[in-house]
Amino acid sequence: MAETKQIDSLWLGADVVTMRDGHYNLIADGALAVHHGELIWVGPRSDMPDFTARQQHRFDGGIITPGLVDCHTHLVFGGDRSQEFEQRLNGVSYADIAAQGGGILATVRATRAATQAQLVTSARWRLARLLAEGVTTVEIKSGYGLDEQSELTMLRAIRELAQSVPADVKATCLAAHAFPPEFRDNPQGWIDILCQRLLPQVKAAGLADAVDAFCEHLAFSPAQVRTVFDCARALGLPVKLHAEQLSSLGGATLAAEYGALSADHLEYATEQDVRAMAQSGTVAVLLPGAFYLLRETQRPPVSVFRQYGVPMALASDANPGTSPALSLRLMMNMGCTLFGMTPEEALAGVTLWGAKALGMQATHGSLEAGKVANFVHWPLARPAELVYWLGGELPCQVIYRGEAQ
């Protein structure tokens, strides 16, 4: 007689949307067995081994998906830019707003003026909105301090925030987000500080899991990004890149050359960029929130990503200037309606491929034995409903590391 295996919990009574290999791979009347915060078995209930569970949870229908992954956010910052949003809609140009001291530098001033505790408190409120909609893994970038100490404070705030929320939080150093006002006429001076002083401190203190940069005509040039990436590589830090958002500079190809985890935005990515990303395994992270708010018209080349088999992730890009988005589900809808993705691609984009964009696909993003037990129960008939409903918090039960939240 086979020995009964003792486990922590069983989860039954719903269809399981595994997202294995980036597809629904739906298991009707599925079961999930959890032990020590890890999935040890996933499959049809009729095939389930003989488990004895300390706790058994039974749902009344619905679906279970992997916990959602928001792989690109800027949730830690001071102040907000709602006044600028109103100004733009009243016809004030971005150049005029910048001349008045607005734009990203307004957020820089507010972030520099905030304490670490204030940054954590305001970010926790924003993050709570995402967690309520099933997010269990999130990446948060620095990049609004733009001086040595303020960037370190932002990264410490991200690490502190991670200790107090039921989510896996990745920190990314985006000190190459924009040039500080003090270095407007001396860009190399900021790059020198970033590479010679800031990044070594970040690495030594374990404050970041990756390094990012903004490659654009109004930010960092490809040559400047290369300098930053060379430094990151020497320190053993993975890289990712804001690329091809407003123009085509070959940033995505550059990111692929460095084996970047992801290239993000990509509205102006070329076939050459996509081919390079396919060869390097770099994920395309699409950010429809910024596309929508900026009222852009150039869409990322979704069909070309499909053609070359480049995984497409979706993320909120939650930030105070161009994507004040607090709903990853809404981004899934926008990925379909604005960019032409399918609902299955959108769900893969916020599960398996979102995890891959963070280098976490071995442990996160799909419901398979050996992965962490992060999943969500939704009282819905089919996965496409996650994309279909606009607005409002869909009722859901979030399970993080095997524990109901």
Side-chain angles (χ1 to χ4, degrees):
M1 181 180 294
E3 183 181 350
T4 300
K5 183 172 178 59
Q6 182 83 31
I7 62 171
D8 291 333
S9 60
L10 270 176
W11 303 79
L12 310 167
D15 295 341
V16 178
V17 186
T18 68
M19 297 315 296
R20 181 171 48 83
D21 301 323
H23 299 289
Y24 290 149
N25 281 307
L26 188 143
I27 300 171
D29 191 17
L32 297 94
V34 176
H35 197 56
H36 294 162
E38 182 179 291
L39 292 166
I40 64 166
W41 191 85
V42 179
R45 191 176 76 167
S46 58
D47 295 345
M48 187 174 64
D50 190 11
F51 290 120
T52 298
R54 294 184 180 90
Q55 293 183 315
Q56 187 170 125
H57 306 265
R58 188 179 298 275
F59 298 110
D60 185 19
I63 61 172
I64 295 172
T65 70
L68 305 187
V69 180
D70 196 346
C71 67
H72 181 132
T73 84
H74 306 252
L75 285 167
V76 171
F77 57 85
D80 73 86
R81 305 240 291 276
S82 58
Q83 181 180 359
E84 292 178 20
F85 173 69
E86 187 170 20
Q87 284 180 294
R88 287 201 305 271
L89 293 176
N90 280 303
V92 182
S93 72
Y94 186 85
D96 287 341
I97 291 171
Q100 296 165 13
I104 189 173
L105 295 183
T107 300
V108 170
R109 287 193 301 275
T111 301
R112 288 179 177 181
T115 65
Q116 182 173 320
Q118 289 170 330
L119 292 174
V120 171
T121 298
S122 62
R124 185 182 290 115
W125 179 88
R126 291 185 282 268
L127 179 56
R129 312 282 78 76
L130 294 170
L131 301 187
E133 286 202 325
V135 171
T136 56
T137 302
V138 63
E139 182 255 23
I140 306 176
K141 304 175 190 296
S142 69
Y144 290 120
L146 299 187
D147 66 36
E148 197 172 340
Q149 289 309 310
S150 298
E151 285 292 306
L152 291 170
T153 297
M154 286 191 73
L155 291 167
R156 291 188 187 108
I158 297 168
R159 290 300 198 213
E160 181 182 341
L161 180 64
Q163 300 304 310
S164 62
V165 295
D168 298 314
V169 180
K170 288 287 189 177
T172 297
C173 181
L174 180 58
H177 191 194
F179 286 101
E182 300 87 350
F183 290 89
R184 184 171 49 193
D185 300 321
N186 178 24
Q188 188 59 43
W190 176 238
I191 293 173
D192 290 344
I193 289 175
L194 201 164
C195 293
Q196 295 170 17
R197 290 173 19 194
L198 178 57
L199 287 182
Q201 289 182 77
V202 168
K203 172 64 176 180
L207 289 176
D209 304 296
V211 171
D212 198 347
F214 185 19
C215 185
E216 195 53 75
H217 60 85
L218 47 69
F220 289 73
S221 69
Q224 291 165 336
V225 169
R226 189 177 292 277
T227 300
V228 174
F229 279 8
D230 284 339
C231 176
R233 173 184 278 175
L235 291 168
L237 288 167
V239 297
K240 52 206 354 241
L241 189 65
H242 288 61
E244 271 65 70
Q245 180 184 8
L246 304 172
S247 61
S248 178
L249 292 181
T253 297
L254 172 63
E257 178 187 333
Y258 282 82
L261 293 171
S262 70
D264 303 32
H265 286 291
L266 299 172
E267 282 86 335
Y268 286 83
T270 65
E271 186 170 355
Q272 176 184 326
D273 292 320
V274 177
R275 188 183 303 116
M277 291 172 65
Q279 292 170 352
S280 67
T282 298
V283 176
V285 177
L286 308 186
L287 305 170
F291 175 91
Y292 167 79
L293 203 77
L294 294 173
R295 293 183 283 189
E296 296 290 344
T297 56
Q298 175 85 15
R299 305 195 314 172
V302 165
S303 61
V304 185
F305 292 134
R306 286 192 194 117
Q307 178 187 344
Y308 283 90
V310 173
M312 292 179 286
L314 277 169
S316 68
D317 192 19
N319 75 74
T322 60
S323 187
L326 298 177
S327 170
L328 190 56
R329 273 202 318 105
L330 181 57
M331 298 304 102
M332 293 167 67
N333 179 276
M334 287 183 174
C336 294
T337 58
L338 300 180
F339 290 168
M341 299 175 74
T342 67
E344 185 177 54
E345 286 173 334
L347 185 55
V350 298
T351 53
L352 186 60
W353 304 139
K356 182 175 171 61
L358 299 176
M360 301 174 74
Q361 70 274 22
T363 54
H364 292 67
S366 62
L367 299 178
E368 302 177 70
K371 293 199 171 185
V372 297
N374 292 352
F375 52 94
V376 188
H377 176 261
W378 311 85
L380 305 173
R382 55 188 58 83
E385 279 196 78
L386 288 169
V387 182
Y388 166 74
W389 292 109
L390 285 174
E393 285 185 4
L394 292 182
C396 64
Q397 172 71 69
V398 177
I399 293 85
Y400 173 69
R401 301 278 173 163
E403 299 292 333
Q405 301 303 306

